Amino acid sequence: MELLELEAYRVPSRFKDWIRILRTTIYEDGPTRIHLKIPTVDPIFIQSLTRYLKEKRKSYLADLPIETIVHVLDEASRRWLDQNYPLRRLALKVIPQITGFSQEVVAASIDAEMESSLREDLWRALSLEIGDPLFLNDFQYSPLLGGYSRAFGPELMVSIFSENIPALPHLLFMRSALIKSACLGKVAAGEPTFAPLYLKTIEEIDPEMAECMAVLYWQGGTTEIESILFEEADAVVLFGGVETCKALLEKVPRNVKTVVHGHRLGFGVIGQQNMKRQKLERLAEAVALDCSMFDQQACLAPHLYYLEEGGEVGPKEFCEAVAAAMERLNQKMPRGRLTAHEASTIHQLRASYELREIKGEEVRVLASPSGTDWTVVYERDPGVFSPSPLNRFIRFYGVEDIFQIPSSLKSVGPFLQNAAVAIGDRREKEFIKVLGELGVSRITSPGKMALPSMMWHHDGISPLASLLRWCDVEKKEDF
Amino acid sequence: MRELDKEVRDLDERILHFIGKGIDNQDEKTFNQLALEIFELQVKWIPLYRRYCEKRGILPEKISSWEEIPALPTDAFKVAELAMFPSQIVRTFLTSGTTRPEERGKVHYDEGGLRLMDGTIQTAAASFLFPDGMKTKILIIAPSPEIAPSMIMAYGMNRLREFFGLPQSGFLVTEKGFEVETLVRELRSSENEGIPVTICGGSFGFVNFFDYCHERGLRFKLPVGSRTLDAGGFKGRSREVKREDFVRECEEILGIRTEYSINLLGMTEIGSQFYDSTLRNFYQGLSLPVAKVNPPWTRTVVVDPENLKPLPEGETGLLKHYDLANRGHILAIQTDDLGRRTPEGFEVFGRSKDEATRGCSLTIDEMTRIERGR
């Protein structure tokens, strides 16, 4: 059996010998044997490391032209998109075994993330948020100001990842580099390997830039480490559930900029004009893809889809087409391994829907022929937004009129994020306006839910601009 | 209807007789026979269950072993009425609804069904809780059935009191809540008078009582033969305590020998109860690892959470129970409890839980916690 040794951390070269291994986690119930080394982290180490990262930022990254930075990040994405890139191949062996996702799901995640992280995307994201990216290089004349402006990023950005979505942590290292900030990321126990590999790629392309970045792992909630770290940072980006983020925020000093990406909900809406036989298969494929990417575990994924009645194709027939597409997709991109709790929840929920169907309620359950691979449930809109148990379990709510939907979204307003909208007639504009007011921060087409662009205001925030500090020169007098 | 009544009454008598043979009965053939007869009646009289079985192509005429009887997941009781004779329901118990309080399952009992449950309580407790035949003062950290008519634990503990308790026995949870001072007084009087007690009730009630004793430095030296029976887990209503610590606290605070602290697995959906074998083994002089033991009128199979197929001994999966005392509703129940088979019986690790955050999407569990926190 092949043995792979990996580290759940990556630190600048001079710190490598300092790291002591706390323990080695062994994964051996798959085709390869993985030894994952978990580091020992203590406050003194954190203090030295963060100071070093800031020094390296000052001596290198802070003066690196933004064009060069974009070039390095673009090159990193291109390498990861190359099927033969050794680190990608390694990630595709390791991440499925650690997370339970199938190899196909992990590959699709990497592709989705990296395809939206190319030169053009980065440049456009900078331009959208900052106007002229050159403000990051030096003072530039700003005609509206009638003076000169320059944008400064934080010295050190700390990011806490708390989930297992592969290829997501690279986003934060990219963003920190784009604003010329050093970055220290804490990976989640659920998927600690991608971020260290990504930093290895940066090191291959620009070793000096990699000296401004570090990835560590420690038991989340370790106050002595987190407090010191937040003291040393001037920006903190948190990912995680309400309780996790709340506990972390209490440790962040008030003068530190914070951005929180809490757990979110997605959904989709298809209007009667799009419930057509001619479009059925293509739309069903698109919806199935939304529900299957990242096995529905990303916040971008839909928990449910609303279907408007009165179209050429009824909601039940639509569900049958989606079920067939879910099965086809599961052949191509199999659903991953579940925990006992996840599988049990799906069985229990399926049974309660099945009994309601048997009772004669207007309910339909369509499920994978074996196991819990996928589940499609149809019911009339109960007026409540029920979160899905995820892992390719999707509810379809039939509605008479799409404008019934917003009232049931109100209760989950603070958690809304991503919506696939395909109304197909003039009402779409008004409907989108209502969703925007409710808190939705991204509207897209079915099939594209998992593929936000780099330009998206992530959770309604300008992810780059919100971390910048500006210096303006308003000086017109001659002294 | 009269005809049918007779058929069912006759079956109930035979089940009761089987239960009455005690827990060493190894008559597999009769168990199988009774299980199949019950299944046949349930398929005949519970139309929802019949269609559920038809969809799976499993009908009484097609099977010859209890293992093939389709199990209904516990959540089914939240959406459907699953009684064999809806017009003859005399008692309805509600599930505790640990994930979503508003969606509680309903489990109905007819007169015969209650008699079967009473039979299991009497036979099982006589073997596992009172193998020494001792009569004790039973103090119950749970409400009485008058206060909590839909709580199966209240019903069961009341039967224990009636079957095995001395006259001074009683309930310690009233409309005012847990009457902890009454419990202290009762325990002191037992100490003084030398009357052994059986304290029974919800596991979290014990832990809250231990905390009360710790705060006040209270210690008891209960008479020899005193024992505890706890059930139901902690459900976020007390601190979580490992089994060995629970037993140690029973010893330190109450002065009860570790062998005399017994855990019971009971479920609203299941008429029978599964006791730890601790005291029975001790009484018989056997030194065996602790396990839950299936009384002969029940079976417990551990299944793979993904495909619900049986797992070999030692592997962890979901517990599926078959219980002849469930004649009045559904014989085979698929639970959400994790556990495994051991050579002595089975172990239960509690409800399957969110083990770790996986994605970044809001989960049902998180949503429930947020709603509760509001």
Side-chain angles (χ1 to χ4, degrees):
Chain A
M1 192 191 271
E2 188 184 11
L3 172 68
L4 296 172
E5 295 214 345
L6 280 101
E7 291 154 352
Y9 63 90
R10 180 116 196 128
V11 290
S13 44
R14 69 160 60 180
F15 288 87
K16 281 178 188 157
D17 292 337
W18 190 343
I19 293 258
R20 294 280 165 270
I21 301 307
L22 177 67
R23 60 169 198 275
T24 300
T25 308
I26 298 169
Y27 301 86
E28 53 187 352
D29 45 359
T32 46
R33 193 179 163 90
I34 298 166
H35 285 189
L36 182 67
K37 291 183 183 153
I38 310 291
T40 308
V41 178
D42 61 48
I44 299 170
F45 180 80
I46 290 284
Q47 203 136 39
S48 314
L49 176 64
T50 51
R51 286 185 186 161
Y52 177 80
L53 292 172
K54 285 192 268 190
E55 276 165 31
K56 289 308 287 186
R57 175 213 173 248
K58 195 173 173 202
S59 66
Y60 183 74
L61 189 58
D63 290 326
L64 200 62
I66 187 68
E67 299 88 332
T68 311
I69 296 171
V70 168
H71 171 76
V72 172
L73 299 174
D74 172 73
E75 176 60 24
S77 302
R78 285 179 198 282
R79 288 191 188 187
W80 276 90
L81 285 170
D82 176 358
Q83 308 283 324
N84 294 317
Y85 181 50
L87 294 184
R88 176 187 168 108
R89 294 172 66 152
L90 179 60
L92 287 180
K93 277 187 192 167
V94 171
I95 297 175
Q97 204 162 325
I98 293 179
T99 59
F101 287 122
S102 69
Q103 203 173 58
E104 292 83 351
V105 164
V106 176
S109 311
I110 292 175
D111 289 343
E113 294 291 339
M114 295 302 168
E115 275 164 9
S116 62
S117 305
L118 297 171
R119 183 190 315 274
E120 178 72 11
D121 307 295
L122 302 172
W123 205 253
R124 280 166 66 180
L126 285 167
S127 305
L128 178 82
E129 288 194 41
I130 306 169
D132 184 352
L134 298 181
F135 282 124
L136 288 160
N137 281 354
D138 201 350
F139 283 95
Q140 305 289 326
Y141 184 69
S142 165
L144 291 175
L145 178 76
Y148 292 82
S149 292
R150 181 170 176 180
F152 293 91
E155 283 185 72
L156 175 66
M157 185 169 132
V158 166
S159 193
I160 308 284
F161 309 107
S162 64
E163 50 275 309
N164 67 342
I165 301 298
L168 187 67
H170 93 288
L171 196 59
L172 270 292
F173 286 98
M174 268 187 3
R175 285 181 182 159
S176 66
L178 288 174
I179 55 173
K180 304 188 182 183
S181 168
C183 184
L184 192 154
K186 177 206 174 277
V187 287
E191 201 299 281
T193 57
F194 183 81
L197 293 177
Y198 182 74
L199 292 203
K200 225 171 174 174
T201 307
I202 300 290
E203 192 181 342
E204 288 169 3
I205 304 165
D206 184 344
E208 288 283 296
M209 194 191 284
E211 289 283 293
C212 307
M213 299 172 171
V215 172
L216 288 173
Y217 173 78
W218 61 87
Q219 178 69 45
T222 312
T223 303
E224 47 170 15
I225 294 169
E226 287 162 1
S227 297
I228 294 249
L229 187 58
F230 295 153
E231 287 285 337
E232 293 291 332
D234 40 9
V236 171
V237 181
L238 305 176
F239 289 82
V242 176
E243 294 108 333
T244 310
C245 290
K246 188 166 170 266
L248 284 166
L249 278 174
E250 280 167 10
K251 298 172 196 170
V252 181
R254 293 184 76 173
N255 58 338
V256 174
K257 282 185 181 156
T258 50
V259 173
V260 178
H261 295 291
H263 288 169
R264 299 282 173 160
L265 296 169
F267 64 96
V269 183
I270 296 175
Q272 54 172 250
Q273 285 304 314
N274 278 316
M275 299 285 282
K276 286 205 172 99
R277 191 140 292 118
Q278 190 203 349
K279 287 186 182 172
L280 182 59
E281 192 163 323
R282 201 160 59 91
L283 200 48
E285 296 273 352
V287 170
L289 184 64
D290 286 340
C291 307
S292 304
M293 282 292 281
F294 308 103
D295 287 352
Q296 211 182 353
Q297 288 180 18
C299 47
L300 296 163
H303 280 250
L304 56 89
Y305 252 93
Y306 290 95
L307 303 176
E308 195 177 28
E309 294 156 0
E312 187 190 344
V313 170
K316 282 189 189 170
E317 188 182 346
F318 189 88
C319 288
E320 280 162 20
V322 174
M326 293 289 281
E327 176 59 24
R328 286 196 295 275
L329 199 52
N330 193 50
Q331 304 289 334
K332 261 199 326 213
M333 186 175 77
R335 212 275 322 274
R337 182 177 74 216
L338 299 194
T339 65
H341 176 64
E342 290 168 323
S344 177
T345 306
I346 290 176
H347 283 301
Q348 294 282 350
L349 208 49
R350 275 184 184 178
S352 52
Y353 274 110
E354 188 181 340
L355 281 172
R356 288 176 54 194
E357 185 180 355
I358 293 174
K359 263 164 75 179
E361 286 186 37
E362 198 166 335
V363 166
R364 189 82 210 271
V365 192
L366 299 156
S368 51
S370 69
T372 58
D373 290 340
W374 56 265
T375 311
V376 168
V377 168
Y378 164 75
E379 65 181 311
R380 293 296 303 278
D381 177 21
V384 189
F385 191 107
S386 292
S388 160
L390 306 177
N391 301 301
R392 307 195 190 185
F393 185 111
I394 182 80
R395 287 184 177 93
F396 290 89
Y397 286 171
V399 287
E400 264 175 52
D401 185 319
I402 51 165
F403 285 97
Q404 289 170 354
I405 299 167
S407 64
S408 35
L409 296 177
K410 269 193 190 132
S411 65
V412 288
F415 302 105
L416 292 177
Q417 183 199 52
N418 194 19
V421 173
I423 307 303
D425 56 43
R426 284 164 45 192
R427 297 172 303 160
E428 181 158 299
K429 194 175 160 195
E430 175 62 19
F431 190 69
I432 286 176
K433 190 181 123 199
V434 175
L435 294 189
E437 278 167 0
L438 277 171
V440 172
S441 65
R442 178 172 179 257
I443 285 160
T444 187
S445 306
K448 298 285 184 248
M449 291 188 79
L451 306 170
S453 75
M454 192 54 66
M455 286 68 78
W456 172 43
H457 290 103
H458 190 173
D459 292 340
I461 299 162
S462 299
L464 301 168
S466 63
L467 296 173
L468 291 176
R469 175 177 59 79
W470 288 86
C471 175
D472 298 328
V473 182
E474 293 185 300
K475 195 169 151 65
K476 292 181 182 130
E477 292 73 17
D478 58 355
F479 54 86
Chain B
M1 201 63 189
R2 199 162 284 268
E3 198 72 354
L4 168 90
D5 273 352
K6 189 179 173 316
E7 189 188 352
V8 175
R9 268 208 309 274
D10 176 57
L11 176 60
D12 282 355
E13 282 311 316
R14 284 186 293 132
I15 301 168
L16 266 179
H17 180 71
F18 189 76
I19 292 170
K21 285 190 164 176
I23 72 137
D24 292 322
N25 179 8
Q26 291 183 355
D27 183 355
E28 172 67 30
K29 202 173 142 220
T30 306
F31 174 83
N32 195 45
Q33 177 62 33
L34 289 170
L36 292 173
E37 277 185 54
I38 293 170
F39 175 54
E40 193 177 340
L41 275 183
Q42 290 177 345
V43 164
K44 191 168 160 193
W45 291 102
I46 307 176
L48 294 181
Y49 184 54
R50 175 167 65 244
R51 266 171 269 157
Y52 185 85
C53 295
E54 276 167 358
K55 279 178 75 181
R56 282 154 182 75
I58 302 171
L59 289 164
E61 59 272 22
K62 292 190 182 164
I63 66 169
S64 56
S65 161
W66 59 268
E67 286 158 299
E68 297 168 79
I69 296 173
L72 215 48
T74 42
D75 275 6
F77 291 90
K78 293 178 182 170
V79 295
E81 305 283 327
L82 295 157
M84 197 186 269
F85 305 118
S87 63
Q88 294 175 33
I89 293 168
V90 293
R91 204 67 187 244
T92 297
F93 297 110
L94 299 181
T95 58
S96 55
T98 39
T99 39
R100 289 227 156 198
E102 71 277 14
E103 295 172 3
R104 300 178 68 180
K106 279 187 258 171
V107 184
H108 304 292
Y109 280 80
D110 53 40
E111 199 66 55
L114 276 188
R115 279 180 65 219
L116 294 178
M117 179 159 43
D118 291 351
T120 70
I121 292 170
Q122 190 155 23
T123 309
S127 298
F128 292 107
L129 186 56
F130 303 109
D132 47 4
M134 188 181 278
K135 285 264 180 184
T136 61
K137 176 162 80 176
I138 299 185
L139 301 173
I140 303 168
I141 311 180
S144 68
E146 287 74 37
I147 296 178
S150 63
M151 183 182 180
I152 200 165
M153 188 196 278
Y155 179 90
M157 300 265 169
N158 190 39
R159 284 288 183 257
L160 278 184
R161 183 184 67 83
E162 290 168 356
F163 294 145
F164 301 96
L166 290 169
Q168 309 93 306
S169 303
F171 292 88
L172 295 156
V173 176
T174 66
E175 289 93 340
K176 287 180 251 161
F178 181 11
E179 306 261 351
V180 65
E181 281 151 22
T182 312
L183 177 59
V184 171
R185 218 168 37 241
E186 289 290 340
L187 295 180
R188 287 287 177 233
S189 91
S190 274
E191 273 179 328
N192 294 337
E193 293 162 21
I195 300 171
V197 287
T198 297
I199 311 173
C200 56
S203 310
F204 61 85
F206 278 87
V207 174
N208 290 332
F209 180 61
F210 296 154
D211 288 346
Y212 177 90
C213 294
H214 284 307
E215 279 166 27
R216 289 162 183 75
L218 290 177
R219 289 290 179 277
F220 301 88
K221 190 86 198 83
L222 295 174
V224 174
S226 295
R227 63 204 75 192
T228 65
L229 176 73
D230 72 290
F234 306 107
K235 298 177 180 168
R237 295 171 70 179
S238 72
R239 64 193 155 91
E240 296 268 329
V241 180
K242 283 199 205 111
R243 189 69 207 158
E244 59 261 36
D245 295 332
F246 187 95
V247 168
R248 192 179 41 76
E249 294 205 70
C250 288
E251 189 170 27
E252 280 176 19
I253 294 173
L254 302 169
I256 287 175
R257 284 189 67 121
T258 53
E259 295 85 355
Y260 282 73
S261 288
I262 301 156
N263 179 260
L264 175 143
L265 170 66
M267 298 178 71
T268 308
E269 297 86 346
I270 291 169
S272 296
Q273 316 82 44
F274 305 108
Y275 287 83
D276 277 346
S277 53
T278 336
L279 183 55
R280 180 176 161 80
N281 289 343
F282 177 69
Y283 193 70
Q284 295 187 338
L286 299 169
S287 173
L288 292 170
V290 183
K292 296 277 183 298
V293 178
N294 277 106
W297 57 89
T298 69
R299 297 288 184 273
T300 296
V301 176
V302 176
V303 299
D304 185 320
E306 176 60 25
N307 57 29
L308 305 181
K309 298 212 169 96
L311 287 172
E313 186 180 293
E315 284 189 31
T316 298
L318 300 169
L319 302 182
K320 174 160 82 165
H321 303 294
Y322 300 80
D323 183 3
L324 301 186
N326 278 11
R327 192 273 302 145
H329 51 284
I330 300 290
L331 177 98
I333 303 287
Q334 178 59 59
T335 76
D336 191 22
D337 283 326
L338 281 176
R340 65 174 176 197
R341 298 274 345 163
T342 67
E344 293 76 28
F346 68 93
E347 290 177 323
V348 54
F349 309 135
R351 284 172 62 92
S352 73
K353 279 197 288 260
D354 238 359
E355 282 126 82
T357 314
R358 296 248 272 155
C360 50
S361 186
L362 197 70
T363 62
I364 298 177
D365 291 2
E366 189 181 358
M367 183 104 165
T368 310
R369 287 198 301 272
I370 294 166
E371 280 172 1
R372 282 198 184 161
R374 256 181 211 159

